Amino acid sequence: MSNKRINILVAEDNDLNAKLIAAVLSADIFAATFVVDGTEVLAACEHEDFDVILMDLRMPEMDGFEATDRLRKSDKRNCDTPIIAITADAILGQEDKCRAVGVNGYLTKPVSPDDLIQMIFSQVQKG
């Protein structure tokens, strides 16, 4: 990964959260594409290769659970891309539910910049 930028798809429907994530990913080592729901995640994944996907769980049209499940069951590009769930729902069992549909990492909001960067690097290195 020496000179290659980490290509990240960010699924986040809240403008403020998207701006905060964009600020964290502003370093020269990241290239981020932003979408607002699961249907846009699936569409973006058909046209571009991503190193990691940051997936909000609660979005309009199609939530992060359904988008992850559909992506994992697909035989198209990006079906094995690491997915990091980012959610404000820090409820018991939520992480297990995420893992059951194929999420690789799990962070709760508000996400600290250091935790987000560390999680991205750990998932990209595994891939």
mmCIF file of all heavy atoms in Angstrom, residues 52-83:
data_model
loop_
_atom_site.group_PDB
_atom_site.id
_atom_site.type_symbol
_atom_site.label_atom_id
_atom_site.label_comp_id
_atom_site.label_asym_id
_atom_site.label_seq_id
_atom_site.Cartn_x
_atom_site.Cartn_y
_atom_site.Cartn_z
ATOM 1 N N VAL A 52 -12.326 -0.628 1.641
ATOM 2 C CA VAL A 52 -13.126 -0.769 2.857
ATOM 3 C C VAL A 52 -14.408 0.043 2.689
ATOM 4 O O VAL A 52 -14.432 1.029 1.951
ATOM 5 C CB VAL A 52 -12.314 -0.335 4.112
ATOM 6 C CG1 VAL A 52 -12.052 1.143 4.130
ATOM 7 C CG2 VAL A 52 -12.975 -0.782 5.393
ATOM 8 N N ILE A 53 -15.460 -0.398 3.376
ATOM 9 C CA ILE A 53 -16.747 0.316 3.362
ATOM 10 C C ILE A 53 -17.100 0.684 4.799
ATOM 11 O O ILE A 53 -17.100 -0.184 5.678
ATOM 12 C CB ILE A 53 -17.868 -0.553 2.762
ATOM 13 C CG1 ILE A 53 -17.533 -0.924 1.310
ATOM 14 C CG2 ILE A 53 -19.221 0.160 2.853
ATOM 15 C CD1 ILE A 53 -18.452 -1.975 0.703
ATOM 16 N N LEU A 54 -17.385 1.966 5.033
ATOM 17 C CA LEU A 54 -17.898 2.421 6.325
ATOM 18 C C LEU A 54 -19.410 2.495 6.173
ATOM 19 O O LEU A 54 -19.920 3.239 5.335
ATOM 20 C CB LEU A 54 -17.348 3.797 6.688
ATOM 21 C CG LEU A 54 -15.839 3.930 6.785
ATOM 22 C CD1 LEU A 54 -15.459 5.356 7.181
ATOM 23 C CD2 LEU A 54 -15.270 2.942 7.787
ATOM 24 N N MET A 55 -20.135 1.724 6.955
ATOM 25 C CA MET A 55 -21.574 1.555 6.755
ATOM 26 C C MET A 55 -22.373 1.995 7.967
ATOM 27 O O MET A 55 -22.319 1.356 9.035
ATOM 28 C CB MET A 55 -21.870 0.078 6.476
ATOM 29 C CG MET A 55 -23.299 -0.242 6.154
ATOM 30 S SD MET A 55 -23.749 0.044 4.444
ATOM 31 C CE MET A 55 -22.934 -1.352 3.662
ATOM 32 N N ASP A 56 -23.106 3.095 7.808
ATOM 33 C CA ASP A 56 -24.085 3.468 8.825
ATOM 34 C C ASP A 56 -25.160 2.389 8.810
ATOM 35 O O ASP A 56 -25.467 1.818 7.764
ATOM 36 C CB ASP A 56 -24.678 4.834 8.478
ATOM 37 C CG ASP A 56 -25.613 5.365 9.549
ATOM 38 O OD1 ASP A 56 -25.576 4.880 10.692
ATOM 39 O OD2 ASP A 56 -26.388 6.292 9.237
ATOM 40 N N LEU A 57 -25.732 2.082 9.944
ATOM 41 C CA LEU A 57 -26.741 1.031 9.985
ATOM 42 C C LEU A 57 -28.155 1.544 9.710
ATOM 43 O O LEU A 57 -28.953 0.850 9.106
ATOM 44 C CB LEU A 57 -26.710 0.312 11.335
ATOM 45 C CG LEU A 57 -25.418 -0.452 11.626
ATOM 46 C CD1 LEU A 57 -25.495 -1.100 13.000
ATOM 47 C CD2 LEU A 57 -25.119 -1.477 10.555
ATOM 48 N N ARG A 58 -28.434 2.758 10.144
ATOM 49 C CA ARG A 58 -29.774 3.317 9.966
ATOM 50 C C ARG A 58 -29.739 4.372 8.857
ATOM 51 O O ARG A 58 -29.256 5.481 9.066
ATOM 52 C CB ARG A 58 -30.274 3.951 11.250
ATOM 53 C CG ARG A 58 -30.577 2.934 12.303
ATOM 54 C CD ARG A 58 -31.185 3.607 13.506
ATOM 55 N NE ARG A 58 -31.507 2.624 14.505
ATOM 56 C CZ ARG A 58 -32.709 2.481 15.013
ATOM 57 N NH1 ARG A 58 -33.681 3.265 14.646
ATOM 58 N NH2 ARG A 58 -32.926 1.554 15.919
ATOM 59 N N MET A 59 -30.258 3.981 7.701
ATOM 60 C CA MET A 59 -30.322 4.884 6.560
ATOM 61 C C MET A 59 -31.672 4.702 5.878
ATOM 62 O O MET A 59 -32.297 3.656 6.006
ATOM 63 C CB MET A 59 -29.207 4.564 5.559
ATOM 64 C CG MET A 59 -27.803 4.756 6.094
ATOM 65 S SD MET A 59 -26.550 4.332 4.879
ATOM 66 C CE MET A 59 -26.694 2.537 4.803
ATOM 67 N N PRO A 60 -32.108 5.715 5.113
ATOM 68 C CA PRO A 60 -33.375 5.583 4.378
ATOM 69 C C PRO A 60 -33.224 4.605 3.214
ATOM 70 O O PRO A 60 -32.107 4.210 2.869
ATOM 71 C CB PRO A 60 -33.625 7.014 3.872
ATOM 72 C CG PRO A 60 -32.263 7.617 3.783
ATOM 73 C CD PRO A 60 -31.468 6.999 4.898
ATOM 74 N N GLU A 61 -34.326 4.246 2.617
ATOM 75 C CA GLU A 61 -34.375 3.357 1.448
ATOM 76 C C GLU A 61 -33.915 1.939 1.783
ATOM 77 O O GLU A 61 -34.683 1.019 1.724
ATOM 78 C CB GLU A 61 -33.569 3.902 0.261
ATOM 79 C CG GLU A 61 -33.983 5.268 -0.215
ATOM 80 C CD GLU A 61 -35.432 5.343 -0.669
ATOM 81 O OE1 GLU A 61 -35.909 4.410 -1.354
ATOM 82 O OE2 GLU A 61 -36.086 6.339 -0.328
ATOM 83 N N MET A 62 -32.637 1.776 2.090
ATOM 84 C CA MET A 62 -32.094 0.465 2.462
ATOM 85 C C MET A 62 -31.072 0.679 3.575
ATOM 86 O O MET A 62 -30.128 1.445 3.412
ATOM 87 C CB MET A 62 -31.408 -0.193 1.254
ATOM 88 C CG MET A 62 -30.854 -1.582 1.567
ATOM 89 S SD MET A 62 -29.887 -2.288 0.211
ATOM 90 C CE MET A 62 -31.063 -2.329 -1.116
ATOM 91 N N ASP A 63 -31.270 0.010 4.703
ATOM 92 C CA ASP A 63 -30.359 0.210 5.828
ATOM 93 C C ASP A 63 -29.052 -0.563 5.641
ATOM 94 O O ASP A 63 -28.886 -1.318 4.682
ATOM 95 C CB ASP A 63 -31.031 -0.133 7.160
ATOM 96 C CG ASP A 63 -31.374 -1.612 7.329
ATOM 97 O OD1 ASP A 63 -30.787 -2.470 6.637
ATOM 98 O OD2 ASP A 63 -32.216 -1.914 8.182
ATOM 99 N N GLY A 64 -28.141 -0.355 6.551
ATOM 100 C CA GLY A 64 -26.835 -0.986 6.468
ATOM 101 C C GLY A 64 -26.855 -2.500 6.609
ATOM 102 O O GLY A 64 -26.031 -3.191 6.023
ATOM 103 N N PHE A 65 -27.809 -3.023 7.376
ATOM 104 C CA PHE A 65 -27.928 -4.477 7.517
ATOM 105 C C PHE A 65 -28.274 -5.118 6.177
ATOM 106 O O PHE A 65 -27.638 -6.070 5.744
ATOM 107 C CB PHE A 65 -28.997 -4.848 8.553
ATOM 108 C CG PHE A 65 -28.645 -4.492 9.962
ATOM 109 C CD1 PHE A 65 -29.276 -3.434 10.592
ATOM 110 C CD2 PHE A 65 -27.690 -5.214 10.661
ATOM 111 C CE1 PHE A 65 -28.959 -3.098 11.898
ATOM 112 C CE2 PHE A 65 -27.373 -4.896 11.970
ATOM 113 C CZ PHE A 65 -27.998 -3.833 12.584
ATOM 114 N N GLU A 66 -29.309 -4.580 5.523
ATOM 115 C CA GLU A 66 -29.740 -5.155 4.251
ATOM 116 C C GLU A 66 -28.680 -4.970 3.171
ATOM 117 O O GLU A 66 -28.414 -5.875 2.379
ATOM 118 C CB GLU A 66 -31.068 -4.539 3.799
ATOM 119 C CG GLU A 66 -31.606 -5.195 2.541
ATOM 120 C CD GLU A 66 -32.968 -4.679 2.119
ATOM 121 O OE1 GLU A 66 -33.629 -3.951 2.890
ATOM 122 O OE2 GLU A 66 -33.366 -5.018 0.985
ATOM 123 N N ALA A 67 -28.062 -3.793 3.138
ATOM 124 C CA ALA A 67 -27.022 -3.543 2.136
ATOM 125 C C ALA A 67 -25.850 -4.501 2.320
ATOM 126 O O ALA A 67 -25.341 -5.063 1.344
ATOM 127 C CB ALA A 67 -26.552 -2.098 2.216
ATOM 128 N N THR A 68 -25.435 -4.711 3.560
ATOM 129 C CA THR A 68 -24.338 -5.644 3.836
ATOM 130 C C THR A 68 -24.727 -7.055 3.434
ATOM 131 O O THR A 68 -23.952 -7.760 2.769
ATOM 132 C CB THR A 68 -23.946 -5.602 5.325
ATOM 133 O OG1 THR A 68 -23.514 -4.278 5.661
ATOM 134 C CG2 THR A 68 -22.838 -6.597 5.632
ATOM 135 N N ASP A 69 -25.919 -7.474 3.825
ATOM 136 C CA ASP A 69 -26.388 -8.815 3.496
ATOM 137 C C ASP A 69 -26.422 -9.028 1.982
ATOM 138 O O ASP A 69 -25.948 -10.044 1.472
ATOM 139 C CB ASP A 69 -27.770 -9.035 4.112
ATOM 140 C CG ASP A 69 -28.241 -10.465 3.971
ATOM 141 O OD1 ASP A 69 -27.484 -11.388 4.349
ATOM 142 O OD2 ASP A 69 -29.371 -10.666 3.485
ATOM 143 N N ARG A 70 -26.966 -8.066 1.255
ATOM 144 C CA ARG A 70 -27.037 -8.189 -0.215
ATOM 145 C C ARG A 70 -25.652 -8.203 -0.848
ATOM 146 O O ARG A 70 -25.406 -8.958 -1.787
ATOM 147 C CB ARG A 70 -27.859 -7.047 -0.800
ATOM 148 C CG ARG A 70 -29.336 -7.201 -0.572
ATOM 149 C CD ARG A 70 -30.081 -6.178 -1.374
ATOM 150 N NE ARG A 70 -31.499 -6.239 -1.115
ATOM 151 C CZ ARG A 70 -32.394 -5.580 -1.834
ATOM 152 N NH1 ARG A 70 -32.006 -4.823 -2.846
ATOM 153 N NH2 ARG A 70 -33.664 -5.672 -1.544
ATOM 154 N N LEU A 71 -24.770 -7.367 -0.332
ATOM 155 C CA LEU A 71 -23.412 -7.329 -0.875
ATOM 156 C C LEU A 71 -22.697 -8.656 -0.633
ATOM 157 O O LEU A 71 -22.052 -9.199 -1.537
ATOM 158 C CB LEU A 71 -22.632 -6.175 -0.243
ATOM 159 C CG LEU A 71 -21.295 -5.830 -0.878
ATOM 160 C CD1 LEU A 71 -21.452 -5.432 -2.337
ATOM 161 C CD2 LEU A 71 -20.631 -4.703 -0.104
ATOM 162 N N ARG A 72 -22.839 -9.196 0.547
ATOM 163 C CA ARG A 72 -22.179 -10.458 0.884
ATOM 164 C C ARG A 72 -22.722 -11.629 0.063
ATOM 165 O O ARG A 72 -21.987 -12.559 -0.247
ATOM 166 C CB ARG A 72 -22.319 -10.776 2.379
ATOM 167 C CG ARG A 72 -21.557 -9.815 3.278
ATOM 168 C CD ARG A 72 -20.080 -9.860 2.984
ATOM 169 N NE ARG A 72 -19.315 -9.091 3.957
ATOM 170 C CZ ARG A 72 -18.433 -8.172 3.645
ATOM 171 N NH1 ARG A 72 -18.185 -7.887 2.383
ATOM 172 N NH2 ARG A 72 -17.775 -7.536 4.581
ATOM 173 N N LYS A 73 -23.990 -11.594 -0.259
ATOM 174 C CA LYS A 73 -24.600 -12.675 -1.037
ATOM 175 C C LYS A 73 -24.387 -12.507 -2.537
ATOM 176 O O LYS A 73 -24.704 -13.397 -3.306
ATOM 177 C CB LYS A 73 -26.095 -12.758 -0.720
ATOM 178 C CG LYS A 73 -26.351 -13.270 0.687
ATOM 179 C CD LYS A 73 -27.821 -13.300 1.007
ATOM 180 C CE LYS A 73 -28.036 -13.855 2.420
ATOM 181 N NZ LYS A 73 -29.435 -13.748 2.842
ATOM 182 N N SER A 74 -23.830 -11.385 -2.934
ATOM 183 C CA SER A 74 -23.590 -11.097 -4.341
ATOM 184 C C SER A 74 -22.330 -11.802 -4.818
ATOM 185 O O SER A 74 -21.430 -12.110 -4.046
ATOM 186 C CB SER A 74 -23.425 -9.584 -4.517
ATOM 187 O OG SER A 74 -22.943 -9.275 -5.794
ATOM 188 N N ASP A 75 -22.265 -12.047 -6.110
ATOM 189 C CA ASP A 75 -21.041 -12.599 -6.682
ATOM 190 C C ASP A 75 -20.301 -11.523 -7.476
ATOM 191 O O ASP A 75 -19.392 -11.806 -8.232
ATOM 192 C CB ASP A 75 -21.343 -13.818 -7.566
ATOM 193 C CG ASP A 75 -22.256 -13.487 -8.732
ATOM 194 O OD1 ASP A 75 -22.751 -12.341 -8.804
ATOM 195 O OD2 ASP A 75 -22.472 -14.383 -9.566
ATOM 196 N N LYS A 76 -20.702 -10.283 -7.270
ATOM 197 C CA LYS A 76 -20.103 -9.170 -7.999
ATOM 198 C C LYS A 76 -18.899 -8.617 -7.253
ATOM 199 O O LYS A 76 -18.597 -9.029 -6.138
ATOM 200 C CB LYS A 76 -21.139 -8.067 -8.209
ATOM 201 C CG LYS A 76 -22.302 -8.548 -9.055
ATOM 202 C CD LYS A 76 -23.338 -7.487 -9.231
ATOM 203 C CE LYS A 76 -24.478 -8.062 -10.062
ATOM 204 N NZ LYS A 76 -25.629 -7.229 -10.105
ATOM 205 N N ARG A 77 -18.217 -7.678 -7.885
ATOM 206 C CA ARG A 77 -17.053 -7.037 -7.273
ATOM 207 C C ARG A 77 -17.438 -6.473 -5.897
ATOM 208 O O ARG A 77 -18.585 -6.148 -5.655
ATOM 209 C CB ARG A 77 -16.509 -5.941 -8.177
ATOM 210 C CG ARG A 77 -17.460 -4.773 -8.313
ATOM 211 C CD ARG A 77 -17.161 -3.755 -9.381
ATOM 212 N NE ARG A 77 -15.806 -3.348 -9.507
ATOM 213 C CZ ARG A 77 -15.318 -2.778 -10.588
ATOM 214 N NH1 ARG A 77 -16.083 -2.538 -11.623
ATOM 215 N NH2 ARG A 77 -14.063 -2.421 -10.646
ATOM 216 N N ASN A 78 -16.503 -6.382 -5.031
ATOM 217 C CA ASN A 78 -16.651 -5.831 -3.678
ATOM 218 C C ASN A 78 -17.475 -6.689 -2.727
ATOM 219 O O ASN A 78 -17.753 -6.269 -1.614
ATOM 220 C CB ASN A 78 -17.246 -4.419 -3.721
ATOM 221 C CG ASN A 78 -16.291 -3.404 -4.280
ATOM 222 O OD1 ASN A 78 -15.207 -3.214 -3.758
ATOM 223 N ND2 ASN A 78 -16.674 -2.754 -5.371
ATOM 224 N N CYS A 79 -17.859 -7.904 -3.122
ATOM 225 C CA CYS A 79 -18.686 -8.713 -2.217
ATOM 226 C C CYS A 79 -17.914 -9.146 -0.965
ATOM 227 O O CYS A 79 -18.524 -9.455 0.052
ATOM 228 C CB CYS A 79 -19.288 -9.908 -2.938
ATOM 229 S SG CYS A 79 -18.102 -11.102 -3.557
ATOM 230 N N ASP A 80 -16.582 -9.138 -1.039
ATOM 231 C CA ASP A 80 -15.764 -9.513 0.116
ATOM 232 C C ASP A 80 -15.043 -8.329 0.759
ATOM 233 O O ASP A 80 -14.212 -8.509 1.646
ATOM 234 C CB ASP A 80 -14.725 -10.562 -0.296
ATOM 235 C CG ASP A 80 -15.366 -11.881 -0.698
ATOM 236 O OD1 ASP A 80 -16.399 -12.240 -0.102
ATOM 237 O OD2 ASP A 80 -14.846 -12.540 -1.599
ATOM 238 N N THR A 81 -15.348 -7.123 0.322
ATOM 239 C CA THR A 81 -14.704 -5.922 0.861
ATOM 240 C C THR A 81 -14.998 -5.808 2.355
ATOM 241 O O THR A 81 -16.140 -5.992 2.776
ATOM 242 C CB THR A 81 -15.234 -4.664 0.136
ATOM 243 O OG1 THR A 81 -14.943 -4.785 -1.257
ATOM 244 C CG2 THR A 81 -14.587 -3.401 0.677
ATOM 245 N N PRO A 82 -13.988 -5.503 3.169
ATOM 246 C CA PRO A 82 -14.247 -5.315 4.599
ATOM 247 C C PRO A 82 -15.276 -4.197 4.839
ATOM 248 O O PRO A 82 -15.189 -3.134 4.218
ATOM 249 C CB PRO A 82 -12.883 -4.920 5.171
ATOM 250 C CG PRO A 82 -11.896 -5.425 4.179
ATOM 251 C CD PRO A 82 -12.570 -5.343 2.847
ATOM 252 N N ILE A 83 -16.227 -4.463 5.706
ATOM 253 C CA ILE A 83 -17.266 -3.494 6.055
ATOM 254 C C ILE A 83 -17.161 -3.182 7.540
ATOM 255 O O ILE A 83 -17.139 -4.091 8.374
ATOM 256 C CB ILE A 83 -18.670 -4.029 5.720
ATOM 257 C CG1 ILE A 83 -18.801 -4.243 4.211
ATOM 258 C CG2 ILE A 83 -19.754 -3.075 6.237
ATOM 259 C CD1 ILE A 83 -20.101 -4.896 3.790
#
